Structure formats: C-alpha cells, structure tokens
Amino acid sequence: MSAPILEVDNLHVRFPITGGGMLGTGKRTLYAVTGVSFSLAKGECLSIVGESGCGKSTTALSIMGLQEPSEGTIRFKGQPITGPGAPSRMARAKAAQMVFQDPYASLNPRQTVNASLAQPLKLHGITGSEATDRIAAMLGSVGLTPEQGTRYPHEFSGGQRQRIGIARALILEPEIVVLDEPVSALDVSIRAQIINLLLDLQEEFGLSYVMISHDLSVVEHMSDRVLVMFFSQIVEQGGWKEIFENPQHPYTRRLIDAIPDPDVALGHGGLAAGATQPAAPAGWRFGSDGSAAPNVFSPPEPSELVDVGPQHKVRLLRA
Ligand SMILES: Nc1ncnc2c1ncn2[C@@H]1O[C@H](COP(=O)(O)OP(=O)(O)O)[C@@H](O)[C@H]1O
Ligand SMILES: [Mg+2]
C-alpha cells in the first residue's frame, strides 16, 4: 500500500473557557478533541461519525489548518502542516479543501457562480482563457450548465448550491477534500444525488475524502473506513463491514439503531431486532454508551483503543 496522504497523530484540541458560569470558577477547559489518530490513503473515503458536539468539526478544521491543535501532529504526504517548515497557505489550499454543510454561507451573494469560481484561481495565478476553461469544465463535472455560471447563489435550489460549493472546493484540484455534513442541510430526496455526485467526482479526480456526519445512513454508501467519535474521542474504528455488520461499542450500536430506514440498518446481515449488546472482552469494560451527556469540562477517563479484529478497534477501560 502506498504511503498515506494524510496522517493525524494524537490530535488534542482543548478550548480554554473563561468567565463565571454555574461552576463558579473563572477558568475551565473544554475537551473538544482528545487523542484522535488516523491516516488516510489516496483515493479512500474515511468517515467520522458521531453526535453533535463530539468534536468532528474541530477535527476537520484542524486538518484544514484552521484550528491550532493543543497537541499532536497533522501531516500531508509526510510533511507537518504546522510548525517550522509547514507549507504555505497557498500550498495547503492546493492540498486540501473543505465542503461545508451550508454552501450559502460560504458563497458571496453578490458574486455570480463564475466569479466565485474565478476567485481562488486568480489567487493562484490562473486567469484568462485557462480560468474560463477550467470553470466551464468544473461546472460540467458537478452537473451545472455554462449558462448557470452567470447566475447568483439565490437563484439556485439547495442541492444546486451544494453543487456550486463542491465546484468551488474542487476548482484548485486538491487531493484531499474534507466534507463536513455535506448533505445534512438538504432535502432527503436530493441527498442521494449529491452523494452519488461526490462518488463520481472521487473517481474522476482520484480524490481522498474525510467525510463527517452525525448520520450513519449518509456515510453508509461512501465510506471505506469509519471512525466513531463520542465526546472528543474515537470509541470505535474499522472498515465499513466491521462498523455496520459487527459493531462492538454500545455507542456505535446506538448510532446504527438510530438509522431511520430499517432496510439500511438490517440489510447487511447486521443487527437482528432485539440483539443483545456485545460483551466487553475479559478484563475490560465499556465506558459510556452515550445515553448520558458527558461532562465536556473534565478529561475523559483513561482508556485504550483495543484490537478486536483485523483493522477493528474499540475503546475500552480496564475493568
Ligand atoms: N471555538 C470554540 N470555542 C469553544 N468551544 C468550542 C469551539 N469550537 C467548538 N467548541 C466546542 O467543542 C466541542 C466540539 O465541537 P465540534 O467540533 O463543533 O462538534 P461537532 O462538529 O461534532 O458537532 C463542543 O462542545 C463545542 O461546543
Ligand atoms: Mg460539526
């Protein structure tokens, strides 16, 4: 296997929170990301799933160089993205780009689609007919017409606007694309279209995806590997098959049980109705099953990611 394109090693992000609050103390620390490690191979889709507030977006922003880690290292093709010798902003923009949940928020309402696609190209010295050709080709790749390039964001539907957001992320031909809840704001009826578009583009451009979602049914069709996050930590990681067909952590089970379409939840020889929770291996216990909200102001209990199968790890506490 080729060297990973992205490596995240022991990422921690803590936010100092100042000001009173109910606890009465002046200063507290919020644990947003705790000890997250993973690597991404070229052409792979790695999904990070977990409920709101578990640290997915903070992880995404760290990968993009938009959030300074408290600890840990992030490398693109072996090169750290922070510290001495880190690539410039321009170089980073060509390496990784992000697609957001709400493309409307990231598009300038006074700019035509063509103008908003021309802007990053111009910053990278691409203008004139080369820019025009690239914009036309990109619009075609995301399923929009050249004529639509002359229109403004408000003239489009939510699904079309996400196509524009994707075009803007891909126009500089990045190798890694971080997709933060890319279909969560869209009507259920058009989510599949956008997911299929992302899969087509991944193939067309050889992209590597980090896909972030609170909804397991969304990642089901896209992921090669899945990381399950709960309260700032990875609680389970594995290939698609391990996570969907043989989930071990009680929290992963809860997420899979929450998939609305029973065909998805049960369609892969997976969980039978009323199936019992898997037991923790001898000498270990599970932490929270996610039914109670964690205290984000205390560090998580000491625990380990333990191998439970090839490429399949579960977070366990010593019993
Ligand atoms: N800039 C920030 N300052 C303080 N707390 C933050 C900041 N960004 C995120 N958080 C907190 O960090 C935790 C993780 O947030 P986030 O990464 O956005 O979660 P997710 O994307 O999984 O919903 C949450 O408790 C959130 O309130
Ligand atoms: Mg988020």
Side-chain angles (χ1 to χ4, degrees):
M1 208 170 94
S2 59
I5 192 164
L6 169 70
E7 293 163 278
V8 175
D9 185 16
N10 194 33
L11 177 69
H12 290 254
V13 181
R14 295 178 287 265
F15 293 109
I17 307 286
T18 44
M22 293 209 303
L23 297 181
T25 53
K27 251 191 192 164
R28 288 180 294 172
T29 300
L30 188 151
Y31 293 81
V33 179
T34 305
V36 165
S37 300
F38 62 87
S39 64
L40 180 72
K42 184 163 174 58
E44 186 182 34
C45 177
L46 174 83
S47 291
I48 305 179
V49 301
E51 280 158 324
S52 180
C54 71
K56 304 180 299 295
S57 292
T58 306
T59 302
L61 294 172
S62 302
I63 296 168
M64 296 304 301
L66 300 170
Q67 171 64 55
E68 186 72 27
S70 308
E71 269 179 64
T73 319
I74 297 167
R75 294 187 192 84
F76 288 164
K77 295 184 172 172
Q79 190 185 15
I81 64 156
T82 55
S88 66
R89 252 186 101 88
M90 298 278 274
R92 270 207 329 255
K94 286 202 57 108
Q97 284 285 329
M98 194 157 164
V99 172
F100 297 91
Q101 176 173 352
D102 178 9
Y104 209 40
S106 56
L107 293 169
N108 181 340
R110 289 185 234 291
Q111 256 182 353
T112 64
V113 172
N114 284 337
S116 85
L117 294 179
Q119 198 178 39
L121 289 175
K122 194 172 169 206
L123 280 172
H124 287 257
I126 301 161
T127 56
S129 64
E130 193 190 343
T132 314
D133 291 349
R134 266 170 78 161
I135 291 167
M138 184 51 70
L139 288 175
S141 291
V142 299
L144 296 172
T145 64
E147 190 273 327
Q148 287 175 311
T150 65
R151 300 208 210 152
Y152 292 86
H154 74 265
E155 299 178 65
F156 294 92
S157 67
Q160 288 172 322
R161 277 205 289 266
Q162 193 54 295
R163 290 175 191 268
I164 301 165
I166 292 166
R168 195 171 147 107
L170 297 188
I171 194 78
L172 289 173
E173 301 175 352
E175 296 180 80
I176 301 166
V177 184
V178 178
L179 307 160
D180 191 353
E181 307 272 7
V183 300
S184 300
L186 303 177
D187 279 356
V188 174
S189 59
I190 50 174
R191 285 183 187 175
Q193 286 175 23
I194 298 297
I195 288 171
N196 287 333
L197 171 66
L198 288 167
L199 286 168
D200 291 346
L201 293 167
Q202 185 183 22
E203 183 142 332
E204 183 179 351
F205 297 109
L207 299 169
S208 307
Y209 285 154
V210 177
M211 161 94 171
I212 285 174
S213 180
H214 67 276
D215 181 351
L216 257 79
S217 61
V218 168
V219 308
E220 224 237 337
H221 300 286
M222 288 191 66
S223 317
D224 300 302
R225 280 188 301 139
V226 182
L227 307 182
V228 180
M229 279 184 81
F230 173 68
F231 173 38
S232 82
Q233 291 184 304
I234 295 172
V235 294
E236 183 160 0
Q237 68 185 64
W240 179 93
K241 215 175 152 61
E242 284 74 38
I243 297 299
F244 283 92
E245 294 188 354
N246 189 22
Q248 293 298 308
H249 197 283
Y251 180 68
T252 311
R253 289 231 156 184
R254 288 176 71 89
L255 286 184
I256 288 177
D257 287 346
I259 297 177
D261 177 0
D263 291 333
V264 176
L266 301 173
H268 301 283
L271 307 175
T276 52
Q277 293 286 358
W284 299 93
R285 64 187 167 92
F286 293 116
S288 172
D289 69 353
S291 54
N295 176 6
V296 296
F297 297 111
S298 324
E301 277 187 85
S303 58
E304 292 168 48
L305 270 176
V306 176
D307 286 312
V308 289
Q311 315 258 341
H312 189 186
K313 289 178 194 287
V314 174
R315 183 166 297 284
L316 294 166
L317 282 64
R318 295 209 177 262

